[in-house]
Amino acid sequence: KGEIDVAQAEIPPNRVKDFEARPADFQVFKYPGLSMSYILVNLKDKVLGGREVRQAISQGINRQEIIKYKLEGLAQEATSILTPGNPFFASELKNPEHDVSAAAQVIEKLGLKGHEISLKTSNNQVAIDNGKVLANQLDKIGLKINLQSFEWGTFYSDVRSGKFQLATMRWLG
């Protein structure tokens, strides 16, 4: 009919291959974008206010595993809100190396082994699934993650008012 539909960053990564498998029906273009998924940390929280615990959390997250298996290789690791495709990206910044053992030692030293921390997400299925992956990874360093998902209005209201410990967020470039 001469119609065209465009979906930009709307298709879950695990579904892209379904569209690529139908080249007669769909053209799929993939390119680096400026969108960013990240974990928001409440720095006013008595547990997460300390630098050591945040560094341990960062060390406990296996970014490469998430990119490879959860995001189907359709992402790049970033070190800030500015993605590697952004002209103002600071390439000299580095994330801590993934080190479960070192992170677990810090969590134990701080007396937080087995401590429950809440991770809030929206009720979007992709956000919930990503939250489950993060909860599993942080469990390996000794933190018990209480995953909570809310409809967008409640979730965003909690984030804006500081009623969270950790939250998954997404910035669309």
Side-chain angles (χ1 to χ4, degrees), residues 101-120:
S101 178
Q105 287 175 5
V106 170
I107 294 301
E108 183 149 359
K109 179 185 98 173
L110 295 173
L112 296 174
K113 186 173 182 176
H115 189 82
E116 186 174 297
I117 293 179
S118 68
L119 171 62
K120 290 188 177 185

Side-chain angles (χ1 to χ4, degrees), residues 59-79:
Q59 282 184 297
I61 296 172
N62 188 335
R63 293 163 184 82
Q64 292 305 315
E65 181 180 83
I66 293 169
I67 290 168
K68 182 176 181 180
Y69 297 108
K70 191 70 187 138
L71 301 174
E72 305 285 334
L74 297 173
Q76 295 176 289
E77 186 174 335
T79 55

Side-chain angles (χ1 to χ4, degrees), residues 32-91:
L34 299 177
S35 296
M36 164 71 98
S37 295
Y38 61 98
I39 300 172
L40 185 62
V41 180
N42 187 340
L43 299 177
K44 294 181 180 178
D45 182 80
K46 63 182 178 184
V47 175
L48 300 175
R51 182 174 179 248
E52 281 185 293
V53 70
R54 294 193 312 272
Q55 193 164 22
I57 288 171
S58 186
Q59 282 184 297
I61 296 172
N62 188 335
R63 293 163 184 82
Q64 292 305 315
E65 181 180 83
I66 293 169
I67 290 168
K68 182 176 181 180
Y69 297 108
K70 191 70 187 138
L71 301 174
E72 305 285 334
L74 297 173
Q76 295 176 289
E77 186 174 335
T79 55
S80 74
I81 195 76
L82 301 177
T83 63
N86 187 303
F88 300 103
F89 174 73
S91 60

